[in-house]
Amino acid sequence: MTEAELKKFPQHVFGHAFTTLKCESPTYLPWLEKRLKGSGVLILPRRIGDLWELHPSFDVVVNCSGLGSRQLAGDSKIFPVRGQVLRVQAPWVKHFIRDGSGLTYIYPGISNVILGGTRQKGDWNLSPDAGISRDIFSRCCALEPSLQGACDIREKVGLRPFRPGLRLQTELLAQDGRRLPVVHHYGHGSGGISVHWGTALEAARLVGECVRALRTPTARSKL
C-alpha cells in the first residue's frame, strides 16, 4: 500500500492492496444445486448413522459429511473450529479490509457486510456469544470507524470442519462378504470455497476409478 493508503490505518506500518472477488455462498450454493438438478442429479434428503445403510442401494458413496465423519468414518482427527461473525447493513463500505492475522475482517457483499471473526478450536457451541459480538464489532470499527453507523446487526455462528490434512481418498469397506467403495472428501476447514472446485474434480476422478473397478470382472485363477 502507498503511504497515502496507509494513512487510513495508522496502527499498521505496511499493507497490501489488491483486487479480488468474493463468493456469495447464499447465492452460489443454490446455483450449484440447480446445476446438479439440471444434469439429472436426484437429491434425497436423508439422515443416516452408518455408511452401510447406503448399501446395496448405491454402488459408490462419496462421503462429504464434514464433521459428521467423526461418526460415519470413525475419524477422530476432524474437529470443529467455531466461527462467529456479524452481518450488518453498511452499504457505504465498498472495500475488503483484513488485518495481518486474518482474525479481524470486513467483507462487503451484495446485500450486507460481514464482520469477523473468531477461530475457536474444538468449540461445538452454535449459540452466538454477546461478548464475542461486541469484541468483533469493536475490532472492525477500529479498522473502519464508519461502521459505528451500521444497522440491522445480526449474529451468525458456524463450525468449520478442520483436519490436520484434507481427506481425499478411496476406502473399500468390507463387511460380511459385502464391499462398499467410499470416496472420502472432507476436512477443508475454512478453505472450502477456495479449493472446492479442484478437490471435487479429484473426487470425481476417484469415483470414476471405483466405477471402472466395479465394471471389470474379477480375474479368476486357472490353477
Side-chain angles (χ1 to χ4, degrees):
M1 297 176 70
T2 65
E3 289 187 11
E5 290 171 326
L6 274 173
K7 286 182 179 179
K8 187 176 180 180
F9 309 101
Q11 67 273 45
H12 291 77
V13 295
F14 73 92
H16 298 279
F18 55 91
T19 300
T20 184
L21 56 84
K22 175 175 180 284
C23 181
E24 296 276 354
S25 296
T27 301
Y28 178 58
L29 294 178
W31 175 82
L32 276 181
E33 182 176 339
K34 182 179 179 181
R35 187 173 185 266
L36 287 171
K37 290 180 177 178
S39 299
V41 172
L42 179 63
I43 297 178
L44 302 172
R46 175 178 168 186
R47 181 182 294 273
I48 64 170
D50 191 303
L51 291 175
W52 281 108
E53 294 178 32
L54 301 173
H55 182 278
S57 300
F58 301 93
D59 298 317
V60 181
V61 172
V62 182
N63 173 30
C64 301
S65 60
L67 291 171
S69 291
R70 287 182 67 89
Q71 175 186 351
L72 290 177
D75 190 346
S76 60
K77 293 183 179 180
I78 191 165
F79 61 92
V81 174
R82 182 180 183 276
Q84 180 167 325
V85 301
L86 303 177
R87 287 184 178 175
V88 307
Q89 290 298 318
W92 59 87
V93 177
K94 302 296 184 183
H95 296 93
F96 302 165
I97 305 174
R98 172 185 169 111
D99 80 350
S101 69
L103 195 60
T104 302
Y105 50 85
I106 302 166
Y107 293 155
I110 295 173
S111 58
N112 51 47
V113 179
I114 302 296
L115 310 181
T118 65
R119 296 191 194 117
Q120 297 163 276
K121 295 182 178 181
D123 192 333
W124 292 83
N125 185 14
L126 287 170
S127 299
D129 183 300
I132 290 177
S133 292
R134 288 192 294 270
D135 178 61
I136 291 173
F137 192 69
S138 176
R139 285 188 276 126
C140 289
C141 285
L143 286 175
E144 179 54 69
S146 71
L147 285 170
Q148 292 285 356
C151 61
D152 193 20
I153 300 174
R154 301 183 184 184
E155 300 167 303
K156 297 291 180 181
V157 176
L159 304 180
R160 307 175 181 100
F162 263 87
R163 197 175 181 277
L166 167 70
R167 189 177 186 190
L168 182 51
Q169 62 183 171
T170 302
E171 179 182 15
L172 182 61
L173 302 183
Q175 184 182 93
D176 301 326
R178 300 175 297 165
R179 292 189 173 188
L180 181 63
V182 177
V183 174
H184 295 291
H185 185 205
Y186 63 86
H188 295 69
S190 60
I193 290 295
S194 301
V195 302
H196 75 289
W197 203 272
T199 62
L201 288 172
E202 175 62 12
R205 187 188 68 79
L206 294 176
V207 169
E209 289 184 351
C210 292
V211 171
R212 286 190 293 274
L214 290 170
R215 290 176 176 173
T216 302
T218 303
R220 297 183 179 181
S221 173
K222 295 182 180 180
L223 295 179

